[in-house]
Amino acid sequence: MIDLDKWSEIFESIKRHKLRTALTALGVFWGIFMLVILLGAGQGLQNGIEFQFEGDATNSIRINGGWTSKAYKGLPKGRRIYLNNEDIAILQRDFPEVEDISGRVFLQGNQQVRFKDKVFAYSVRGVSPAIAYLEQFMMVQGRFLNDGDDHLLQKNAVIGTLVKEELFGKDGDAVGKEINIGGIVYQVVGVYYDKEGERSLRDIYIPITLAQRVYQGTDYVNNIWFSTAQVELEQAKSLENRIRRMMSAKYLFDPEDMRAMWISNALEEYQNFQNLFAGIKAFLWFVGLGSLLAGVIGVSNIMLIIVKDRTREIGVRKALGATPGSIVNMILSESIFITLMAGYFGMILGLMVLYFASSIQSEFFRQPEIHLSVGLLAIVILTIAGALAGWVPARQASRINPVIAMKAR
Amino acid sequence: MIALRDIRKAYSTEFTRLEVLKGIELTIEDGEYVSIMGSSGSGKSTLLNILGILDDYDSGTYHLDNTLISKDLSQKEAAYYRNRFIGFVFQSFNLLNFKTAQENVALPLYYQKISRKERSDLAMHHLEQVGLAEWATHFPNQLSGGQQQRVAIARALATNPKVILADEPTGALDSKTSHEVMEIFDRVNAEGKTLILVTHEMDIAHRTKRIIHIKDGLILKDGV
């Protein structure tokens, strides 16, 4: 049952002591506000990076040939290791974990690309159809390259949405159009979109077979990229080691020579980021709890001062017939009410700041958010702390002799 | 109305024991107008605090309106008796600064769980009695000392207590306002209320109908 009379007494008191109320409220308000902002920002950072990872398949491994940095079996260091189509075939044949696989050939420099009177320069890559999965492309128009394009050396090209916009306009249709890439005419068969960001939307993909024969004259590939079955990090690492040993035997380099062959495991990177985030989160909680603790101490101090300040009032009220219980009840109800309201407004304002911050869409920051339960829990903690801090002196004050209390100044 | 039998009270610290009241025998009838006089340290304030149930006593008995006020009442019981039986007037007024005159007068009624409406009506009635009706919405710091003490008297009367206890009620006032305050006390007593005031001013004491002199914790002289 809500004691209306008690509450109107409390509201009167709050109204007549604006500074006292404001000081209590400010400590709580600031503690909650900072906690919400910090945790929200941390979540935003994590969301941003995780979104980046959605741009590629996470269960994938990339292999690049490098230069040997150690002499091995009588061979000098500084040899270049070139990967080629045979390596792709071996990986597919001997490693059952390997699923979608593609070599990639990066054409030297940017290629001049012409459509009617428009000329732009883009990077052009020769790839197999599996790249569409590995890059997690979304087709906006038409289709991606297929095996037929590969086998028949079709002069077909797939372009990024930004390439399409620049060559054909925002609403233009690209599929079926002919573009001139470095003097050779290709037919556009599809337009893709990639979440990863703007840079990867300015690429043009052509069949790898064509890139090797027409532009390169060898069957070398710049790197090999493949996805694995969903495996644990340990298995992925063991796969990485077995590939390294196989390659070391084939190309005669020291298996310990990491520079001879670069193998990067997206799963490992993903895990590293997960660990990084665990670290960032722990730090943010540390700072957030710190500001909460500062709030608790602030509220506690103010409560002590308030009770001291009210000692004479308590004495007068007792002389007029207030029981100790009613005194404690009055002081605590007032402070709990103030902390709850302040905490509530701190959370609302924090959430509003996060809401406006969510319009910031950078590569590393998106959708800052906080779990409501965390905010509510923080408010409850602050309220209990404030109540406890006020309860002890309030109880003491309510027990002292009213004559002595009335003499307090 | 009030019967004290062999009331003793001592304050002791770790090293000393100070006997303040050494066996007070006192009877005050209904409707009496009494002043208690004594130098500082005589025990008169302690006696008043015991009479007002603001302090406890060590031994003896204290009857107030035929109710035994035990020497070890709980705080809650003491609060109840104070609220029902006694109206206080203090030297330093002890009004709450953040409450208006009317709200101050109504405060003891709040602890009787009387409704807000009835409280402010009763408070207004008692402010009229002390001639401060038009100051009802003023805060204590907007009132003169005499006015504040009259508000305090109205507050003491608000619960219609058995007895009014006034501790140096004119101690902080000049002689003219002291006179005004005493006139109110005279009138309250004339209406039949028992009044006990502690003072060290002879002219104030002589306005009452009975003077009790206290010295060294004992009643020295009782009479006019």
Side-chain angles (χ1 to χ4, degrees):
Chain A
M1 188 48 200
I2 297 168
D3 185 348
L4 276 181
D5 227 29
K6 182 184 102 183
W7 284 103
S8 64
E9 185 79 9
I10 285 168
F11 287 136
E12 284 295 303
S13 173
I14 288 174
K15 232 166 56 189
R16 303 265 164 84
H17 295 103
K18 292 201 173 69
L19 181 68
R20 187 167 88 190
T21 307
L23 283 175
T24 317
L26 189 70
V28 179
F29 173 86
W30 195 249
I32 298 288
F33 180 72
M34 288 310 290
L35 186 79
V36 168
I37 297 278
L38 276 172
L39 294 182
Q43 191 66 47
L45 206 60
Q46 178 165 10
N47 288 348
I49 304 279
E50 274 184 352
F51 190 78
Q52 292 279 305
F53 273 96
E54 280 173 32
D56 286 337
T58 48
N59 55 329
S60 70
I61 293 177
R62 280 181 229 215
I63 308 176
N64 282 52
W67 276 271
T68 58
S69 64
K70 291 176 182 172
Y72 185 66
K73 290 195 172 169
L75 292 164
K77 61 181 180 182
R79 276 182 306 127
R80 179 84 162 96
I81 306 289
Y82 291 101
L83 296 172
N84 59 26
N85 289 350
E86 194 192 4
D87 296 320
I88 298 174
I90 293 171
L91 285 169
Q92 264 178 314
R93 194 189 63 212
D94 295 345
F95 296 88
E97 296 99 322
V98 174
E99 289 184 344
D100 297 273
I101 187 164
S102 169
R104 294 201 292 179
V105 173
F106 302 146
L107 299 199
Q108 285 279 315
N110 278 358
Q111 301 291 315
Q112 265 204 359
V113 178
R114 188 190 304 267
F115 174 69
K116 289 184 177 163
D117 55 341
K118 291 180 188 138
V119 184
F120 289 91
Y122 300 109
S123 74
V124 178
R125 300 165 173 195
V127 295
S128 301
I131 284 295
Y133 169 73
L134 292 165
E135 288 273 20
Q136 298 279 295
F137 283 159
M138 284 183 290
M139 298 311 293
V140 180
Q141 290 178 1
R143 62 169 175 85
F144 199 72
L145 301 169
N146 60 25
D147 289 334
D149 298 327
D150 237 7
H151 292 140
L152 302 171
L153 298 173
Q154 291 289 330
K155 294 194 182 67
N156 286 344
V158 175
I159 61 177
T161 48
L162 287 178
V163 176
K164 191 220 98 182
E165 271 176 34
E166 283 164 2
L167 289 177
F168 304 99
K170 222 171 176 63
D171 306 315
D173 199 5
V175 177
K177 301 275 165 55
E178 290 189 333
I179 55 175
N180 185 314
I181 302 176
I184 300 170
V185 175
Y186 285 79
Q187 190 176 38
V188 178
V189 293
V191 179
Y192 70 85
Y193 174 74
D194 188 353
K195 279 191 204 166
E196 217 169 293
E198 288 204 0
R199 258 177 300 127
S200 55
L201 294 176
R202 286 183 199 280
D203 293 335
I204 293 177
Y205 288 89
I206 60 174
I208 187 168
T209 45
L210 203 65
Q212 284 174 333
R213 268 187 228 173
V214 176
Y215 297 87
Q216 200 169 254
T218 64
D219 70 344
Y220 291 155
V221 294
N222 291 70
N223 61 32
I224 299 172
W225 192 3
F226 62 85
S227 65
T228 61
Q230 290 294 345
V231 290
E232 294 298 311
L233 186 59
E234 285 308 306
Q235 293 165 273
K237 276 188 171 168
S238 116
L239 175 63
E240 202 181 310
N241 283 333
R242 277 181 288 134
I243 290 172
R244 184 175 289 282
R245 279 203 303 277
M246 180 274 284
M247 290 292 187
S248 128
K250 181 163 179 254
Y251 289 105
L252 295 174
F253 62 84
D254 190 331
E256 301 300 315
D257 186 356
M258 291 300 158
R259 294 197 193 171
M261 187 155 291
W262 303 96
I263 301 181
S264 75
N265 189 334
L267 188 61
E268 208 175 324
E269 278 171 40
Y270 184 73
Q271 290 281 341
N272 283 343
F273 269 104
Q274 289 294 323
N275 293 342
L276 176 69
F277 278 118
I280 291 177
K281 268 206 165 156
F283 175 71
L284 288 175
W285 268 103
F286 179 72
V287 175
L289 287 177
S291 68
L292 201 62
L293 189 69
V296 166
I297 291 170
V299 170
S300 307
N301 275 329
I302 292 164
M303 287 310 299
L304 275 168
I305 292 166
I306 286 175
V307 171
K308 264 250 168 309
D309 190 45
R310 296 184 80 164
T311 303
R312 199 181 72 89
E313 178 196 341
I314 291 168
V316 172
R317 283 179 185 272
K318 280 194 78 180
L320 298 180
T323 58
S326 77
I327 299 279
V328 173
N329 188 314
M330 172 184 74
I331 290 178
L332 286 198
S333 302
E334 188 179 319
S335 62
I336 288 172
F337 177 77
I338 293 171
T339 45
L340 275 179
M341 290 307 282
Y344 178 74
F345 281 114
M347 193 168 81
I348 293 294
L349 198 75
L351 290 176
M352 270 165 68
V353 170
L354 289 187
Y355 176 78
F356 287 116
S358 69
S359 58
I360 304 169
Q361 292 279 23
S362 92
E363 244 175 294
F364 298 106
F365 193 84
R366 72 188 287 126
Q367 278 183 349
E369 59 196 357
I370 180 172
H371 289 293
L372 196 63
S373 56
V374 173
L376 292 177
L377 187 70
I379 294 177
V380 170
I381 289 173
L382 265 186
T383 307
I384 291 174
L388 271 179
W391 186 67
V392 177
R395 218 164 74 105
Q396 275 171 359
S398 76
R399 281 178 170 179
I400 61 174
N401 188 314
V403 178
I404 294 162
M406 278 188 286
K407 282 182 185 146
R409 259 289 143 200
Chain B
M1 172 61 62
I2 287 173
L4 299 182
R5 295 291 163 258
D6 194 27
I7 291 289
R8 288 167 190 275
K9 171 80 180 175
Y11 292 107
S12 43
T13 65
E14 209 177 325
F15 308 106
T16 60
R17 185 179 150 82
L18 179 65
E19 269 193 276
V20 183
L21 298 180
K22 300 169 180 169
I24 298 282
E25 300 279 341
L26 180 63
T27 306
I28 294 171
E29 299 299 334
D30 200 3
E32 272 201 89
Y33 191 7
V34 182
S35 56
I36 299 174
M37 291 199 75
S39 55
S40 72
S42 62
K44 63 180 193 306
S45 287
T46 305
L47 178 60
L48 192 82
N49 288 341
I50 290 171
L51 286 174
I53 325 176
L54 292 169
D55 207 346
D56 53 5
Y57 52 95
D58 296 338
S59 65
T61 56
Y62 171 22
H63 283 88
L64 175 59
D65 195 33
N66 296 321
T67 309
L68 175 68
I69 306 300
S70 154
K71 65 185 163 68
D72 34 36
L73 284 180
S74 74
Q75 293 241 12
K76 203 174 165 184
E77 289 166 318
Y80 176 84
Y81 286 130
R82 275 201 295 275
N83 186 241
R84 301 282 159 158
F85 288 179
I86 297 160
F88 288 102
V89 178
F90 302 97
Q91 179 175 5
S92 53
F93 323 136
N94 279 329
L95 300 174
L96 297 187
N97 286 325
F98 61 93
K99 287 182 175 285
T100 63
Q102 191 177 6
E103 287 165 346
N104 266 290
V105 175
L107 191 59
L109 299 168
Y110 169 74
Y111 292 109
Q112 292 191 352
K113 310 249 177 270
I114 289 171
S115 77
R116 172 163 282 262
K117 173 86 179 65
E118 207 178 328
R119 280 200 320 257
S120 52
D121 286 353
L122 271 167
M124 201 58 198
H125 169 73
H126 285 98
L127 278 177
E128 275 167 22
Q129 299 271 295
V130 298
L132 287 174
E134 65 245 57
W135 299 89
T137 57
H138 287 67
F139 290 95
N141 58 12
Q142 299 166 322
L143 302 174
S144 73
Q147 287 172 321
Q148 288 189 49
Q149 194 60 301
R150 277 146 72 192
V151 172
I153 294 169
R155 181 178 67 183
L157 290 168
T159 53
N160 192 23
K162 305 280 180 204
V163 54
I164 302 270
L165 297 178
D167 186 5
E168 302 275 9
T170 59
L173 305 174
D174 59 44
S175 56
K176 186 176 167 290
T177 41
S178 294
H179 186 73
E180 286 170 18
V181 165
M182 286 313 291
E183 273 181 353
I184 293 172
F185 278 135
D186 294 348
R187 207 177 62 229
V188 168
N189 176 249
E191 285 162 10
K193 189 73 71 195
T194 312
L195 253 160
I196 302 172
L197 47 100
V198 164
T199 183
H200 62 268
E201 293 168 73
M202 270 321 275
D203 57 328
I204 296 295
H206 278 295
R207 293 187 71 131
T208 64
K209 293 169 184 163
R210 178 179 167 192
I211 303 174
I212 297 165
H213 289 272
I214 291 196
K215 194 180 180 191
D216 297 333
L218 286 167
I219 291 175
L220 194 69
K221 190 176 136 202
D222 189 346
V224 184

